[in-house]
Amino acid sequence: MDRKELSTLTIRNLMLEVLGDDQFCKKHSNGYSFQNTYGAHQENLFMLTEIIAIEKNLIEQKTHVASMAWSDPRRNLYEGKNTDFSINEI
C-alpha cells in the first residue's frame, strides 16, 4: 500500500525536533545527543529522524533502522533496503 510522502517541511520539522530533544536522542543512541557531544554525522540525524517519524506513525517501519555508534558513518540510504524513507524523502 502506497503512503503519502512526507514533505520537506515535515522532515525539516522532525529534524529540528530531534536536534532539540536530548532525551529522545539519548534513548535511541546509547546516551548521546546533539547538545552534549561533538562529532555527530548527518547520518545520526537521518537515523533519529527516521525513528521519530516511525514513532509518530508518519511512516511505517518495514526495514530495520540500523543502530550505529555515535559519529560512525552509515552506509548510503537505499529506499526499501536500509531505510523506510522514500527516495524523494532521502
Side-chain angles (χ1 to χ4, degrees):
M1 183 167 150
D2 291 331
R3 67 168 174 85
K4 184 177 176 185
E5 287 190 351
L6 301 180
S7 69
T8 304
L9 180 63
T10 299
I11 293 171
R12 184 210 61 192
N13 288 344
L14 290 171
M15 287 180 166
L16 290 173
E17 186 174 343
V18 164
L19 288 169
D21 191 339
D22 268 355
Q23 295 308 312
F24 176 83
C25 291
K26 289 176 182 179
K27 175 182 174 186
H28 295 285
S29 63
N30 297 323
Y32 293 98
S33 75
F34 290 96
Q35 296 181 22
N36 68 358
T37 58
Y38 295 100
H41 291 187
Q42 68 184 11
E43 291 88 355
N44 300 111
L45 180 58
F46 295 163
M47 174 195 70
L48 293 167
T49 300
E50 182 173 356
I51 291 170
I52 203 168
I54 291 167
E55 285 189 358
K56 291 177 174 272
N57 294 315
L58 297 174
I59 63 174
E60 182 181 351
Q61 183 173 6
K62 295 179 181 178
T63 62
H64 175 70
V65 179
S67 60
M68 61 187 173
W70 192 253
S71 188
D72 180 38
R74 187 172 159 186
R75 296 176 296 159
N76 290 333
L77 298 177
Y78 295 101
E79 177 181 359
K81 299 290 183 196
N82 64 351
T83 184
D84 290 308
F85 283 132
S86 72
I87 189 67
N88 292 328
E89 293 166 333
I90 295 168

